Amino acid sequence: MASAPLKVCIVGSGNWGSAVAKIIGNNVKKHQKFSPLVKMWVFEETVNGRKLTDIINNDHENVKYLPGHKLPENVFIHRICDEITGQVPKRALGITLIKGIDEGPDGLRLISDIIREKMGIDISVLMGANIANEVAAEKFCETTIGSKVLENGLLFKELLQTPNFRITVVDDADTVELCGALKNIVAVGAGFCDGLHCGDNTKAAVIRLGLMEMISFARIFCKGQVSTATFLESCGVADLITTCYGGRNRRVAEAFVKTGKTIEELEQDMLNGQKLQGPQTSAEVHRILQQKGLLDKFPLFTAVYQICYEGRPVQEMLSCLQSHPEHI
């Protein structure tokens, strides 16, 4: 007797969630393993006098976060509950696309750990060089799925892979997730360099030194074995390069230098009110490093935090590069 098709639900509908919804909505039509109806949960908003849920359900377009791209007609939205814990079966599987970390009582907490604890289900992670608009436009790119249970990672690969969205599955899940968060700090540093007109050589140094700090941070804080090879996957060096040249963290950091506005003001002006991950992640990382007495080992991460939140002159980005431990 054939098993029932697997139901798919997407929680969140920003530009990345909507881009992934486009992939999933098309893929489930081709695989009998998955139910043909995809449900999406979203915070309700009003756009031009209409509910965003009504616009997506009827017009099949997220006009606020992913304008210009039609979503498949089998993707539907339900308003998100304040709390969905207890509503999800224990046999369900999850995959997080959130690029961030949290601070817990013992230091670092990964978003996947929080979801895993709250919902009691296995959580994989997907991280890579994936600018949402380019993914939605079906431009070729790669991504990485990290899964502690490899079989689950391969199932998500089946759900998500397309000819132009190529997936590698690895079991070094914590490192994959950490890459997705930490590269946003480096991208802010790269944006500062662009705002200061430092040139490509300096920006390359920021990327390289930032990658070294990412590797060092992972080795200190990941519970399991950290494979250097994971940093050569899309979630590592590829995502770092993409974000340092084309991502929103770089773009807003450049504007931070040129306009003199705060990060919060620029989020409103440039991101339609969406939050920027890089500065927030730098703050979480800074608190953790401070607790451990390790700030001097991570001068790039520290400088980004201090420039964003403590009024350190942005020109001091250069002195942090010149005196970096890698050069001593």
Side-chain angles (χ1 to χ4, degrees), residues 32-307:
Q32 292 184 335
K33 184 179 288 187
F34 303 105
S35 170
L37 181 68
V38 178
K39 294 186 178 180
M40 179 183 275
W41 295 57
V42 66
F43 284 109
E44 187 67 276
E45 297 182 69
T46 300
V47 181
N48 299 327
R50 296 176 65 194
K51 290 182 177 180
L52 186 56
T53 51
D54 290 341
I55 295 171
I56 295 174
N57 281 338
N58 295 311
D59 301 349
H60 303 289
E61 182 180 356
N62 188 335
V63 294
K64 181 168 183 180
Y65 296 118
L66 195 70
H69 292 284
K70 287 289 183 180
L71 300 180
E73 294 185 3
N74 57 327
V75 177
F76 284 83
I77 286 179
H78 290 260
R79 184 172 182 177
I80 194 164
C81 299
D82 291 331
E83 187 64 67
I84 61 173
T85 301
Q87 307 300 315
V88 178
K90 297 298 180 190
R91 66 182 181 278
L93 302 176
I95 186 165
T96 173
L97 282 63
I98 301 168
K99 295 182 176 179
I101 55 175
D102 198 7
E103 182 193 12
D106 301 317
L108 175 71
R109 290 192 82 204
L110 298 172
I111 300 298
S112 63
D113 286 338
I114 296 168
I115 299 171
R116 198 176 288 115
E117 289 165 17
K118 281 185 173 291
M119 307 192 65
I121 64 174
D122 184 67
I123 299 290
S124 300
V125 300
L126 183 147
M127 306 283 154
N130 310 137
I131 293 174
N133 287 37
E134 294 183 12
V135 173
E138 299 181 17
K139 295 181 179 179
F140 180 85
C141 68
E142 302 173 315
T143 198
T144 311
I145 288 178
S147 187
K148 296 176 190 293
V149 182
L150 209 57
E151 182 185 349
N152 296 344
L154 293 171
L155 178 65
F156 282 114
K157 176 176 180 175
E158 198 172 346
L159 175 67
L160 289 160
Q161 182 162 267
T162 74
N164 286 319
F165 191 64
R166 309 308 291 178
I167 297 171
T168 301
V169 182
V170 301
D171 60 5
D172 194 4
D174 289 352
T175 305
V176 171
E177 186 170 4
L178 208 50
C179 282
L182 297 178
K183 55 94 185 182
N184 285 321
I185 305 177
V186 185
V188 173
F192 290 157
C193 283
D194 288 343
L196 293 168
H197 302 290
C198 292
D200 287 338
N201 293 339
T202 308
K203 189 168 173 178
V206 168
I207 294 171
R208 188 189 77 82
L209 294 170
L211 179 61
M212 298 308 293
E213 290 193 16
M214 288 168 60
I215 294 170
S216 297
F217 191 93
R219 285 179 173 157
I220 291 169
F221 291 97
C222 280
K223 302 182 189 83
Q225 184 70 28
V226 171
S227 171
T228 306
T230 303
F231 292 91
L232 300 179
E233 297 289 352
S234 181
C235 63
V237 67
D239 196 10
L240 180 61
I241 292 168
T242 299
T243 312
C244 287
Y245 279 90
R248 66 176 69 172
N249 288 278
R250 186 219 64 80
R251 185 163 47 91
V252 174
E254 181 181 25
F256 178 88
V257 179
K258 291 181 174 179
T259 66
K261 292 183 177 181
T262 65
I263 294 295
E264 292 77 11
E265 288 170 334
L266 291 168
E267 286 171 340
Q268 287 298 326
D269 292 350
M270 301 176 67
L271 300 181
N272 217 0
Q274 290 190 95
K275 287 292 178 188
L276 200 64
Q277 301 116 320
Q280 287 185 326
T281 304
S282 78
E284 290 150 3
V285 165
H286 187 266
R287 283 191 292 271
I288 292 165
L289 292 174
Q290 199 166 37
Q291 283 176 359
K292 305 282 186 183
L294 293 172
L295 289 177
D296 59 329
K297 305 284 187 189
F298 296 87
L300 181 61
F301 287 177
T302 300
V304 168
Y305 167 77
Q306 291 174 337
I307 292 165

Side-chain angles (χ1 to χ4, degrees), residues 22-35:
K22 184 177 178 182
I23 290 174
I24 291 174
N26 287 321
N27 275 359
V28 296
K29 296 175 186 176
K30 303 170 189 173
H31 298 292
Q32 292 184 335
K33 184 179 288 187
F34 303 105
S35 170

